[in-house]
Amino acid sequence: MTPADALLGQALVEEATKKSGLVWVRGSGPARALWHVWHEGAAVLVGDGPGEQPLPAGLDAGATAEVTVRSKDKGGRIVAWTAVVAVLEPHSEEWEAAVAELKGKRLNAPDAERMPERWARECRVLRLTPGASRTELPDSSLAVPPLPTGATTRQPAPAALHRLLLKRRGRR
């Protein structure tokens, strides 16, 4: 790989990750889709607390993670890269800067003003810094069954519901 190829690879990783709303991150377990913010040359994310996204297993300080970036408009894979994981210490200078960026992008937070304090107490803020290597995208889809979750789906509509709805239309 030439130095020019390395620079183009870094630019691709940065631009794709910066523009994507979600990245797929794999630690030592299955990959998870995580929202993130690109801040000072790395993907920064928050999770593992009440009301926040669950982080994959194995994302500890000094570990490596596989990050796959998707296209924001089409949802397909653009690039995959290896990241070095750093856990940011609450209230450190680096943590404060990262949380300021994350806070602006966090949607539907129930406690927007107290969110940084809650993150400091109950969550982990991680910094995923791109390593020197990019991985080639596979030819197959890599589709796997969804991870178990506590979320439920709607129950089937009652059999007589359509008759009740038709009666209401007829009265108008």
Side-chain angles (χ1 to χ4, degrees):
M1 179 182 290
T2 66
D5 289 341
L7 286 175
L8 286 173
Q10 288 174 342
L12 175 63
V13 165
E14 182 173 343
E15 280 303 307
T17 308
K18 199 182 291 186
K19 290 183 179 188
S20 180
L22 287 175
V23 291
W24 289 87
V25 179
R26 179 189 332 270
S28 61
R32 285 195 177 268
L34 303 172
W35 71 273
H36 71 286
V37 171
W38 186 264
H39 178 67
E40 295 181 0
V44 180
L45 45 100
V46 63
D48 279 352
E52 298 300 336
Q53 62 191 349
L55 299 175
L59 294 184
D60 300 315
T64 59
E66 182 72 23
V67 180
T68 304
V69 181
R70 70 180 184 101
S71 166
K72 190 170 188 172
D73 57 347
K74 302 286 185 189
R77 288 184 303 255
I78 296 177
V79 67
W81 47 277
T82 303
V84 177
V85 179
V87 179
L88 303 182
E89 282 298 316
H91 301 294
S92 67
E93 191 173 311
E94 192 176 24
W95 185 90
E96 293 286 347
V99 165
E101 291 291 320
L102 286 164
K103 182 180 175 188
K105 300 290 183 182
R106 173 66 164 91
L107 302 176
N108 303 325
D111 58 346
E113 293 305 315
R114 297 184 313 273
M115 192 168 39
E117 284 304 314
R118 180 171 56 86
W119 285 350
R121 278 190 324 270
E122 302 169 351
C123 298
R124 294 189 316 146
V125 177
L126 303 179
R127 179 179 173 86
L128 304 179
T129 306
S133 67
R134 283 185 300 131
T135 57
E136 294 299 319
L137 294 178
D139 293 331
S140 65
S141 72
L142 300 178
V144 295
L147 296 172
T149 178
T152 60
T153 58
R154 285 186 2 194
Q155 298 296 321
L161 182 62
H162 70 281
R163 285 182 277 174
L164 292 172
L165 294 174
L166 289 176
K167 282 185 185 178
R168 286 186 184 169
R169 268 195 221 158
R171 291 182 188 168
R172 290 185 186 172

